[in-house]
Amino acid sequence: MNKRSLLGAAALATLCVLPLPALAQDKPPLKIVVGFPPGGSADLLARLLAEGLKNDFSSVIVENKPGAGGRIALSHVKRSPADGQTVVLLPSGPMVLFPHVYKKLDYDAVADFTPISQIAHFQFSVVAGPSAGAKSVAEMLAKAKATPGSATYGTPGSGTLPHFMGVMFGQKAGAELTHVPFQGGGPANTALLGGHIQYKFDVVTETAELHRSGKVRILAVTGAQRDPQVPEVPTLKEQGVDMVATAWFAMYGPAGLKPEVRDAISAAVAKAVRTPALRARLLEQGYEPVGSTPAELAAAQAADLKRWEGPIKATGVQLD
């Protein structure tokens, strides 16, 4: 065997024992952690996004870590390696409400996470279950005022945005409502259908299909405009309640994520939500696609932290 053949054989032997990442710059895997059970709005959005990201990563999986209104998922991601392989997808509440709501949090909403991208904006709904007997906001309020505290409403958890939607709605409308928290929108739907609670406050997506099938009735939406999923449903303002409230879903990584890794994930998310197919799916589900930069998400979070501070203090609600 000549010298060239020997060198070639040696090189081939070396390649055979090298791991695949050494042979080429393989795409990294991505795990999207969701703090709510399967079947809810956050889970649905994460799975739609995962499908849109599949060409930018070697694999994209969604892992549900429900409980505590998303705090369990946040704590998990906070402790994860800052390598860009584990991120959390969540509604804005845990990042802009919880710091004002909870006396103690095991995370800092700003210092412990790296903003990646604001994914979509959305609004909420006021939903009546079979036991409510209300076909409009006016009927709901009349019943609630007739027997203060008897009107129960479910949400995906204490301290979540829907929780405060209910508190603010009651204050604006002059009615006393009783909050019943659940570990996600799915369990709250089950309780609503079973007559264990009368009403529910949650994102429109959670109950749009149940509304269309006649199993529940969406009485109002909380945005400035009607929601395209249920265009026949009027806003709260149309029904005399002076309240407009919207929120957003976003993606964060643990603190210390390298800028180049952060920006690569953010760019992939922005590209995915702007593709015609995924954009159409998001709009169908009542989400307004965004796909922001990390800096834009950080600015939105800072603005909402400031915006919610006063209203939350005014409610007097504080949780342990």
Side-chain angles (χ1 to χ4, degrees):
M1 184 179 291
N2 60 34
K3 185 176 181 180
R4 180 175 295 177
S5 298
L6 286 171
L7 290 172
L12 180 61
T14 301
L15 289 174
C16 288
V17 298
L18 284 175
L20 285 176
L23 296 177
Q25 292 297 317
D26 284 353
K27 297 175 182 178
L30 184 68
K31 178 170 67 176
I32 303 174
V33 180
V34 176
F36 301 92
S41 56
D43 178 72
L44 172 63
L45 180 59
R47 294 182 190 280
L48 286 174
L49 184 61
E51 179 67 19
L53 293 172
K54 65 182 181 180
N55 293 327
D56 293 286
F57 299 89
S58 60
S59 65
V60 184
I61 63 170
V62 175
E63 181 175 311
N64 299 89
K65 288 190 174 293
R71 286 176 287 152
I72 291 174
L74 278 169
S75 295
H76 173 77
V77 172
K78 170 189 169 181
R79 298 190 302 268
S80 298
D83 56 8
Q85 296 186 20
T86 302
V87 298
V88 63
L89 184 150
L90 75 169
S92 51
M95 308 305 278
V96 303
L97 293 186
F98 288 9
H100 304 306
V101 173
Y102 287 93
K103 297 176 184 177
K104 294 181 180 179
L105 280 179
D106 59 355
Y107 66 87
D108 185 303
V110 176
D112 290 336
F113 300 96
T114 300
I116 294 175
S117 182
Q118 191 180 75
I119 299 165
H121 294 159
F122 62 97
Q123 59 177 312
F124 298 86
S125 59
V126 184
V127 189
S131 67
K135 296 182 179 180
S136 67
V137 167
E139 288 186 15
M140 173 187 180
L141 293 175
K143 289 175 179 290
K145 291 176 182 179
T147 312
S150 64
T152 55
Y153 74 97
T155 71
S158 294
T160 59
L161 281 160
H163 177 188
F164 282 99
M165 295 295 146
V167 172
M168 292 175 65
F169 171 80
Q171 291 181 338
K172 293 281 188 181
E176 182 182 337
L177 308 178
T178 299
H179 177 229
V180 183
F182 293 87
Q183 286 196 348
N189 275 345
T190 300
L192 186 69
L193 291 169
H196 304 295
I197 54 175
Q198 294 174 314
Y199 303 99
K200 182 190 176 198
F201 283 74
D202 211 342
V203 298
V204 181
T205 304
E206 291 277 3
T207 45
E209 188 56 42
L210 292 173
H211 168 81
R212 285 190 285 267
S213 68
K215 294 179 180 178
V216 303
R217 180 187 292 268
I218 297 179
L219 304 179
V221 293
T222 66
Q225 306 293 332
R226 296 191 180 196
D227 191 288
Q229 296 177 94
V230 286
E232 74 283 3
V233 176
T235 66
L236 283 174
K237 292 205 75 168
E238 286 181 88
Q239 299 183 73
V241 180
D242 187 18
M243 174 177 163
V244 174
T246 59
W248 38 266
F249 276 105
M251 179 181 287
Y252 291 81
L257 204 60
K258 292 181 179 179
E260 61 268 24
V261 175
R262 174 202 66 193
D263 291 348
I265 301 173
S266 181
V269 169
K271 181 181 71 173
V273 301
R274 290 169 187 164
T275 58
L278 183 53
R279 179 177 175 81
R281 290 291 305 279
L282 293 175
L283 289 171
E284 285 173 7
Q285 298 298 326
Y287 299 122
E288 180 187 343
V290 179
S292 78
T293 65
E296 289 168 338
L297 171 55
Q301 181 183 349
D304 275 5
L305 267 168
K306 183 176 181 180
R307 180 171 70 90
W308 277 101
E309 183 177 8
I312 290 173
K313 286 183 177 179
T315 67
V317 175
Q318 192 168 50
L319 304 174
D320 293 326

